[in-house]
Amino acid sequence: MTLVTQTAQVRQILTEHKVIAVVGFHHDAMKPAYYVPEYMHRQGYTIIPVNPALAARGESFFGHRAVATLAEITTPVDIVDVFRRSDRVREHLPDILAMPTPPKVVWLQLGIRDDATARELASRGIDVVQDRCLLADHRALL
């Protein structure tokens, strides 16, 4: 698969993939890790929050209970959207690879980049988008 850089590829991802697991989801509506998934939910996407603290409290958002890890998600996920610092992305690689059904895409939000992890994911057949905002791209392209 590929490291996604072309606008047409991003548009295709946003059109064809509707289930998003959000790593680093935040409960504070003023933080991008909340309002970006909220926007995507309002556009018809299924959002699964991934945050161990929120999962431990049994919290739910947008109709889905928060989970502590990606591997806990039993339904197929199209996009794993990552809201973690660049130097923390690699920590999530084992969890991504442990998912019952691998995601089609791993999306690293604006300002987040890890070329080595992206290459490894791509070598395993997972498309990777780096340093782009789901909300901004959705607004611009669809």
Side-chain angles (χ1 to χ4, degrees), residues 32 35-36 81-86 107-113 129-137:
Y35 67 73
V36 171
D81 185 23
V82 179
F83 281 91
R84 298 295 311 271
R85 292 189 334 235
S86 295
W107 188 299
L108 306 181
Q109 279 295 133
L110 192 61
I112 304 170
R113 178 170 213 94
V129 177
Q130 297 194 89
D131 193 20
R132 295 186 74 125
C133 177
L134 264 173
L135 184 155
D137 279 335

Side-chain angles (χ1 to χ4, degrees), residues 53-123:
L54 299 176
R57 294 195 298 258
E59 294 191 40
S60 293
F61 300 86
F62 320 122
H64 289 275
R65 191 177 188 103
V67 295
T69 67
L70 291 164
E72 294 172 44
I73 301 170
T74 56
T75 59
V77 169
D78 298 317
I79 301 171
V80 171
D81 185 23
V82 179
F83 281 91
R84 298 295 311 271
R85 292 189 334 235
S86 295
D87 63 347
R88 306 300 295 267
V89 170
R90 187 146 196 90
E91 296 171 16
H92 298 282
L93 182 61
D95 193 27
I96 293 167
L97 298 177
M99 294 176 75
T101 304
K104 310 274 188 304
V105 179
V106 171
W107 188 299
L108 306 181
Q109 279 295 133
L110 192 61
I112 304 170
R113 178 170 213 94
D114 180 335
D115 292 332
T117 300
R119 281 191 299 276
E120 184 154 350
L121 289 165
S123 77

